[in-house]
């Protein structure tokens, strides 16, 4: 069994140091932004405005096994605690008389929250920042396009106008200009076009390294690194897109994976007999889950959406950095969740990684999960759906989930 990659340890160390600096800057009076993962953080990077990604912070709360207490706090304050849990945890940490801000010394109260309105409930969650805490909420519209290219991953880097449609990009470009004006008023800083162009160049370079790593892992037999180690190695640098540190971190991960492939190293102690795909958000409160079936079944999770999205969903090239940035995000939700965008992509990834089966985490807000599962099954991949909320440990019965997966693996192995 291989040790945790040095790239993962370095990313985790960097994140702690970075977050301490965010807390210091907030204490000194600088505005802090809380942005959803599908919001264009590159604007804040280019303007040197500290920001925290909502889903990253939720993953820290989950990893500390505090999600149940935080969601119970929401219920005690009169808010629902059974929908959009993942997006509500940061809010829960700052609401109420016993608010503690969360782990790691606490999340500083933001001066602005930013998210795409991908659903009415999510819109209400972010609206509560404004109504309950007085924090302004900047919302991006969620638009759709009737003509959907099934091979979007081939078109996105250079032919994104064709893949997404100009009307959607026009809308988000205008909304980006509105966000820029809002941040300029909030901070007194001005966005320089040359700086945004540099941020886009660096983030594209990072995506290129991620694509190389994804392709290397797809062809590697056995898989040289666990999904649970790839996630921090990929996602922490993802929240620092547009920096040289993030580019270097992506290159470091690729080099480390290549060394392990060349050495013939496998992630698991046992011989790899079954290759599995995990669709859905990370199970932050039980990351040991991803190695639990190695000894009993030789089953190794070789794929998660985090590296794959980093490889296929972010690169955007073009002369207009603002429009390219709009193209990066105005179809972001589609790529993960909307058929046929999502189903065709997951099937492509399942084929390239040679998986024997798919474990699909289905949460209450996964309205199109059935379409993804059906697409994979139609392509010949066995799919086990697990109905769970990744950010709500209260509803997690590890014995029941493990038992279901073990019985399913028994069938795959027979």
């Amino acid at each position: 069994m291989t040790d945790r990659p040095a790239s993962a340890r370095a990313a985790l160390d960097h994140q702690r140091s970075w977050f301490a600096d965010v807390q210091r800057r907030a204490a000194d009076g600088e505005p802090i932004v809380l942005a959803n993962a599908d919001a264009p953080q590159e604007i804040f990077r280019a303007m040197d405005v500290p920001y925290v990604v909502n889903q990253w912070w939720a993953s820290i709360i989950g990893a500390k096994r505090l999600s149940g207490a935080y969601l119970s706090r929401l219920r005690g304050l009169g808010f629902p605690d059974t929908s959009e849990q993942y997006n509500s945890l940061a809010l829960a940490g700052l609401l109420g008389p016993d608010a503690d801000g969360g782990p790691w010394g606490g999340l500083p109260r933001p001066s602005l929250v930013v998210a795409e309105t991908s659903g009415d409930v999510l819109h209400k969650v972010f609206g509560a920042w404004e109504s309950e805490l007085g924090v302004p909420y900047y919302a991006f519209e969620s638009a759709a396009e009737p003509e959907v290219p099934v091979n979007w991953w081939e078109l996105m880097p250079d032919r994104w106008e064709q893949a997404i449609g100009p009307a959607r990009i026009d809308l988000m470009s205008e909304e980006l200009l509105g966000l820029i004006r809002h941040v300029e008023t909030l901070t007194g800083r001005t966005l320089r076009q040359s700086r945004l162009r540099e941020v886009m160049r660096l983030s594209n370079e990072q995506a290129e390294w991620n694509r190389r790593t994804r392709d290397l892992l797809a062809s590697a037999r056995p898989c040289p690194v666990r999904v649970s180690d790839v996630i921090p190695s990929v996602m922490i640098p993802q929240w620092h897109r547009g920096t040289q540190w993030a580019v270097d971190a992506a290159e470091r991960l690729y080099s480390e994976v290549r060394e392990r492939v060349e050495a013939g190293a496998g992630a698991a102690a046992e011989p790899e007999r079954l290759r599995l795909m995990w669709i859905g958000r990370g199970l932050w409160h039980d990351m040991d889950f991803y190695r639990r079936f190695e000894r009993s079944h030789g089953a190794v999770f070789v794929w998660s959406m985090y590296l794959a999205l980093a490889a296929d969903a972010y690169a955007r090239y073009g002369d207009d950095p603002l429009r390219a940035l709009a193209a990066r995000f105005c179809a972001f939700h589609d790529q993960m969740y909307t058929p046929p965008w999502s189903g065709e992509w997951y099937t492509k990834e399942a084929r390239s990684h040679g998986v024997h089966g798919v474990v699909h985490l289905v949460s209450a807000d996964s309205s199109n999960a059935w379409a993804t599962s059906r697409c994979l099954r139609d392509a010949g991949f066995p799919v086990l759906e697990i109905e769970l909320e990744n950010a709500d440990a209260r509803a997690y019965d590890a014995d029941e989930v493990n038992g279901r997966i073990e019985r399913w693996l028994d069938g795959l192995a027979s």
Side-chain angles (χ1 to χ4, degrees):
M1 184 195 323
T2 56
D3 296 326
R4 164 164 272 193
S7 55
R9 296 194 300 271
L12 291 165
D13 289 344
H14 178 84
Q15 195 72 348
R16 279 194 172 275
S17 175
W18 160 83
F19 190 67
D21 186 60
V22 170
Q23 291 170 316
R24 178 192 58 77
R25 294 176 71 174
D28 289 343
E30 283 197 60
I32 304 297
V33 175
L34 182 80
N36 245 17
D38 56 5
Q41 300 125 42
E42 288 83 348
I43 295 295
F44 312 120
R45 176 73 58 205
M47 298 180 72
D48 191 29
V49 177
Y51 67 89
V52 175
V53 176
N54 188 34
Q55 285 78 5
W56 168 73
W57 188 242
S59 75
I60 297 299
I61 293 171
K64 296 295 184 182
R65 303 192 176 181
L66 295 170
S67 60
Y70 277 46
L71 292 168
S72 296
R73 177 188 294 172
L74 277 182
R75 175 165 288 279
L77 293 170
F79 292 93
D81 66 340
T82 56
S83 63
E84 290 290 354
Q85 293 97 314
Y86 199 31
N87 289 297
S88 302
L89 289 175
L91 176 66
L94 291 172
L95 278 179
D98 57 344
D100 57 7
W104 286 19
L107 175 71
R109 178 177 294 210
S111 303
L112 176 69
V113 294
V114 181
E116 184 187 59
T117 53
S118 55
D120 291 341
V121 179
L122 182 64
H123 188 57
K124 291 179 179 179
V125 169
F126 277 87
W129 282 95
E130 193 156 23
S131 62
E132 303 301 316
L133 294 172
V135 178
Y137 163 37
Y138 191 91
F140 286 92
E141 295 295 331
S142 183
E145 172 62 45
E147 298 295 327
V148 177
V150 296
N151 62 331
W152 60 262
W153 55 89
E154 297 174 359
L155 302 175
M156 281 299 188
D158 299 292
R159 291 178 286 167
W160 32 269
E161 291 273 3
Q162 175 186 346
I164 300 169
R168 295 179 77 180
I169 301 172
D170 289 344
L171 172 61
M172 191 156 203
S173 295
E174 286 300 315
E175 291 179 329
L176 284 175
L177 290 173
L179 176 62
I180 292 165
R181 288 191 292 269
H182 191 102
V183 176
E184 287 178 338
T185 300
L186 177 68
T187 65
R189 298 169 188 167
T190 301
L191 176 68
R192 292 184 292 112
Q193 190 88 342
S194 60
R195 177 64 182 135
L196 181 59
R197 193 181 304 279
E198 176 66 5
V199 166
M200 291 297 290
R201 183 191 69 79
L202 289 168
S203 59
N204 283 335
E205 187 177 348
Q206 181 179 347
E208 291 166 5
W209 283 113
N210 287 327
R211 187 180 305 112
R212 294 184 187 104
T213 303
R214 188 276 312 273
D215 292 346
L216 186 58
L217 285 174
S219 61
R221 302 292 186 279
C223 182
V225 61
R226 288 188 175 89
V227 157
S228 55
D229 290 329
V230 171
I231 289 173
S233 298
V234 170
M235 290 313 297
I236 290 175
Q238 196 67 281
W239 308 137
H240 297 273
R241 285 190 311 278
T243 67
Q244 189 60 51
W245 177 85
V247 174
D248 293 344
E251 182 180 4
R252 186 184 307 119
L253 174 62
Y254 170 77
S255 297
E256 194 165 9
V257 169
R258 185 183 62 189
E259 289 173 4
R260 292 183 177 211
V261 170
E262 291 172 351
E270 302 299 317
E272 182 179 288
R273 299 192 298 277
L274 293 172
R275 295 170 61 84
L276 303 179
M277 184 179 198
W278 172 264
I279 294 182
R281 301 159 177 160
L283 205 59
W284 308 120
H285 54 269
D286 186 10
M287 292 297 282
D288 288 341
F289 166 88
Y290 297 104
R291 59 189 295 180
R292 194 161 289 151
F293 311 101
E294 294 172 1
R295 186 172 297 278
S296 61
H297 292 82
V300 179
F301 282 96
V302 302
W303 190 95
S304 80
M305 67 180 182
Y306 295 102
L307 175 59
L309 282 170
D312 282 342
Y314 284 91
R316 299 290 187 278
Y317 297 93
D319 294 332
D320 184 340
L322 189 72
R323 193 166 180 82
L325 179 60
R328 175 173 288 169
F329 284 98
C330 61
F332 196 80
H333 192 268
D334 293 341
Q335 295 165 158
M336 290 186 287
Y337 302 119
T338 305
W341 293 74
S342 53
E344 295 290 341
W345 180 65
Y346 287 123
T347 300
K348 181 265 294 190
E349 289 293 289
R351 286 176 176 144
S352 67
H353 286 73
V355 303
H356 300 97
V358 179
V359 181
H360 188 179
L361 177 72
V362 178
S363 58
D365 60 349
S366 301
S367 58
N368 294 312
W370 65 271
T372 295
S373 294
R374 178 173 178 176
C375 189
L376 285 159
R377 287 175 178 140
D378 287 348
F381 295 101
V383 178
L384 176 66
E385 291 187 346
I386 302 292
E387 296 182 359
L388 282 176
E389 294 297 330
N390 78 309
D392 191 351
R394 300 171 303 176
Y396 182 56
D397 184 337
D399 291 339
E400 191 274 334
V401 171
N402 293 340
R404 282 193 63 194
I405 293 178
E406 286 171 355
R407 291 189 292 274
W408 179 70
L409 291 173
D410 288 340
L412 287 184
S414 62

